[in-house]
Amino acid sequence: MPKSKRSKVVHLTNVEKKTKEERKQQFDNIREACDRYTTIFVFGVDNMRNTYLKDVRSHFADSRIFFSKTKVMAKALGQSASEEYQPGLADLSKYLAGNVGLLFTNRDIKEVLEYFENFSEMDFARAGVKATREFTVPAGVVYSRGGELAVEDDVPMPHSLEVTVRKWGMPTKLHQGKVMLDNDYTICRDGHTLNSHQTALLKLFGVAMAEFKIHVKAYWTASSQEVTEVQAEGAMEE
C-alpha cells in the first residue's frame, strides 16, 4: 500500500529542548573559560566568513573563541554588578552587540591586539554590501578579468558564458564566437549597495571587494578586574 502524502504534524518539542540544552552548555563553557584564562576580548567582525574565522581559531588554538548568541554570552558574563560572574565582567558585556564574539586567552595583550590589527582577508562581496570602488568592463571583446589585466595577459571570456552574463544585466552579444560589448559597462559604483547580479558579475571577473576584518572592542583582565576599551585606530584608554 503506498505511503500517505497527507501533511503530518511534526512536534518540535525535542528540537526546542535541544536548543535550550545547547545554550546552557555554551553558558557553562563560557563561565568555565572565565576561570581558566587571564584575559577576555570582545571582538567584532566585518564581512563574516567562516573559512577565515577558522584560521583565527587555529592561530589561537591554545585559547577559546565563542561566537554564540549575544544574549547567551552577555548572560554568562553577567549584565549587572549583581549578576557578573567575576568583578568587572558586566562592563565587558556592554560591548556584546552586533556581529561579535569572545576570545579567552592567556597570551600577551599587545600580541593579541597586533595580530588582529594586521589580520585581514579579501573575499567576494555579497548582496547588500556597498561597493568599495567603481568597476567598469570596457567595450569590445570581454575578457575574463574584465579589463583588470592587460589584453596580452588575459583570455577572452568563454562564449558559453554569454547567456549567463546577459541574464545578470550585461548587454553582451556574440560575434564570431566572442562575447562582445558595444559600450563600456559599469557593473558598480563606489559606495553603492550591490545586488545579487552585481556580486555574481564581480565574482566572475575575480573582483574581491569584501574585507574580512576583526576589530577588538574591549578587553577584561583578571589581574585588574577592569575593562579597557580599544579605539578603532588601535589606541587604548582606561
Coordinates of all heavy atoms in Angstrom, one line a residue, residues 1-2 4 8 16 22 29 74 84 93-94 119 124 128 143 160-161 182 190 192 204 206 209 219 224-225 238:
M1 N 0.9 -1.2 0.0 CA 0.0 0.0 0.0 C 0.9 1.2 0.0 O 1.8 1.4 0.8 CB -0.9 0.0 1.3 CG -1.9 1.1 1.3 SD -3.0 1.0 2.7 CE -4.0 2.5 2.4
P2 N 0.7 2.2 -0.9 CA 1.5 3.4 -1.0 C 1.4 4.3 0.3 O 0.4 4.3 0.9 CB 1.0 4.1 -2.2 CG -0.4 3.7 -2.4 CD -0.4 2.2 -1.9
S4 N 1.0 7.5 2.6 CA 0.1 8.6 2.5 C 1.0 9.9 2.3 O 2.0 10.1 2.9 CB -0.7 8.8 3.8 OG -1.4 10.0 3.8
K8 N 1.6 15.8 7.7 CA 1.6 15.3 9.1 C 2.1 16.4 10.1 O 2.9 17.2 9.7 CB 2.6 14.1 9.1 CG 2.2 12.9 8.2 CD 3.2 11.8 8.4 CE 2.7 10.6 7.5 NZ 3.7 9.5 7.6
E16 N 13.3 22.1 20.4 CA 13.4 23.2 21.4 C 14.2 22.8 22.6 O 15.0 23.6 23.1 CB 12.0 23.6 21.8 CG 11.2 24.3 20.7 CD 9.7 24.5 21.1 OE1 9.4 24.1 22.2 OE2 9.0 25.1 20.3
E22 N 21.8 23.3 24.4 CA 23.0 23.8 23.7 C 23.3 25.2 24.3 O 24.5 25.5 24.5 CB 22.7 23.9 22.2 CG 22.7 22.6 21.5 CD 22.4 22.7 20.0 OE1 21.9 23.8 19.6 OE2 22.7 21.7 19.3
N29 N 30.2 26.7 29.3 CA 31.6 26.7 28.7 C 32.2 28.1 28.9 O 33.4 28.2 29.1 CB 31.5 26.3 27.3 CG 31.2 24.8 27.1 OD1 31.3 24.0 28.0 ND2 30.7 24.5 25.9
A74 N 26.4 37.5 27.0 CA 26.2 38.5 28.0 C 25.7 38.0 29.3 O 26.1 38.4 30.4 CB 25.2 39.6 27.4
E84 N 27.2 39.6 37.5 CA 28.5 39.3 36.9 C 29.2 38.1 37.5 O 29.2 38.0 38.7 CB 29.4 40.5 36.8 CG 29.8 41.1 38.2 CD 30.5 42.5 38.0 OE1 30.6 43.0 36.9 OE2 31.0 42.9 39.1
S93 N 30.3 43.0 29.1 CA 29.1 42.6 28.4 C 28.4 43.7 27.6 O 27.6 43.4 26.7 CB 28.2 41.9 29.3 OG 27.6 42.8 30.3
K94 N 28.7 44.9 28.0 CA 28.1 46.1 27.4 C 28.5 46.2 25.9 O 27.8 46.8 25.1 CB 28.4 47.4 28.1 CG 27.9 47.4 29.5 CD 28.4 48.7 30.2 CE 27.9 48.7 31.7 NZ 28.4 49.9 32.4
F119 N 45.6 41.5 10.7 CA 44.9 40.4 10.1 C 43.7 40.8 9.2 O 42.8 41.5 9.8 CB 44.5 39.3 11.1 CG 43.8 38.1 10.5 CD1 44.6 37.0 10.0 CD2 42.4 38.1 10.3 CE1 44.0 35.9 9.4 CE2 41.8 37.0 9.7 CZ 42.6 35.9 9.3
F124 N 35.0 37.8 -2.0 CA 34.0 38.4 -2.9 C 32.8 38.9 -2.1 O 32.4 38.3 -1.1 CB 33.5 37.3 -3.9 CG 34.6 36.8 -4.8 CD1 35.0 35.5 -4.6 CD2 35.2 37.6 -5.7 CE1 36.1 35.0 -5.4 CE2 36.2 37.2 -6.5 CZ 36.7 35.8 -6.4
G128 N 23.9 43.3 -0.8 CA 23.6 44.1 0.4 C 24.7 44.9 0.9 O 24.5 45.9 1.7
Y143 N 36.9 40.2 -21.7 CA 38.0 39.3 -21.2 C 37.6 38.8 -19.8 O 36.8 39.4 -19.1 CB 39.3 40.0 -21.2 CG 39.9 40.2 -22.6 CD1 39.5 41.2 -23.4 CD2 40.8 39.2 -23.1 CE1 40.0 41.3 -24.7 CE2 41.4 39.4 -24.4 CZ 40.9 40.4 -25.2 OH 41.4 40.5 -26.5
S160 N 30.4 30.4 -23.9 CA 29.3 29.7 -23.2 C 28.7 30.5 -22.1 O 27.7 30.2 -21.6 CB 29.8 28.3 -22.7 OG 30.9 28.5 -21.9
L161 N 29.5 31.5 -21.6 CA 29.0 32.3 -20.5 C 28.2 33.6 -21.0 O 27.7 34.3 -20.1 CB 30.2 32.8 -19.7 CG 31.0 31.8 -18.9 CD1 32.2 32.4 -18.2 CD2 30.1 31.2 -17.8
D182 N 29.1 46.6 -26.9 CA 29.2 47.8 -27.8 C 29.7 49.0 -27.1 O 30.3 49.8 -27.7 CB 27.7 48.0 -28.3 CG 27.3 47.0 -29.4 OD1 28.2 46.4 -30.0 OD2 26.1 46.8 -29.5
D190 N 31.4 53.2 -6.7 CA 31.9 53.2 -5.3 C 30.8 53.7 -4.3 O 30.2 54.8 -4.6 CB 33.1 54.2 -5.3 CG 33.8 54.2 -3.9 OD1 33.6 53.3 -3.1 OD2 34.6 55.2 -3.7
H192 N 27.9 52.4 -3.6 CA 26.6 52.0 -3.9 C 26.3 50.5 -3.5 O 27.2 49.7 -3.5 CB 26.3 52.1 -5.4 CG 26.2 53.5 -5.9 ND1 25.5 53.8 -7.1 CD2 26.6 54.6 -5.4 CE1 25.5 55.1 -7.3 NE2 26.2 55.6 -6.3
L204 N 32.6 36.6 -11.0 CA 33.0 36.0 -12.3 C 34.3 36.7 -12.8 O 35.2 36.0 -13.3 CB 31.9 36.2 -13.3 CG 32.1 35.6 -14.7 CD1 32.2 34.1 -14.6 CD2 31.0 36.0 -15.6
G206 N 36.5 38.0 -10.9 CA 37.6 37.9 -10.0 C 37.9 39.2 -9.1 O 39.0 39.4 -8.7
M209 N 35.8 42.6 -3.1 CA 35.5 43.9 -2.5 C 35.2 43.8 -1.0 O 34.9 44.8 -0.4 CB 34.4 44.6 -3.2 CG 34.7 45.1 -4.6 SD 33.5 46.3 -5.2 CE 34.1 46.7 -6.8
Y219 N 38.6 44.7 26.3 CA 39.1 43.5 26.9 C 39.1 43.7 28.5 O 39.2 44.8 29.0 CB 40.5 43.1 26.4 CG 41.6 44.1 26.7 CD1 42.3 44.1 27.9 CD2 41.9 45.0 25.7 CE1 43.3 45.0 28.1 CE2 42.9 45.9 26.0 CZ 43.6 45.9 27.2 OH 44.6 46.8 27.4
S224 N 43.5 43.0 36.9 CA 42.9 44.3 37.3 C 41.4 44.2 37.6 O 40.9 45.1 38.3 CB 43.2 45.3 36.2 OG 42.4 45.0 35.0
Q225 N 40.8 43.2 37.0 CA 39.3 43.1 37.1 C 38.6 44.3 36.5 O 37.6 44.7 37.0 CB 38.8 42.8 38.5 CG 39.3 41.5 39.0 CD 38.8 41.1 40.4 OE1 38.5 42.0 41.2 NE2 38.6 39.8 40.7
E238 N 41.9 53.8 29.4 CA 41.4 53.1 30.6 C 40.0 53.6 30.9 O 39.6 54.7 30.8 CB 42.3 53.3 31.8 CG 43.7 52.7 31.6 CD 43.7 51.2 31.6 OE1 42.8 50.6 32.2 OE2 44.6 50.6 31.0

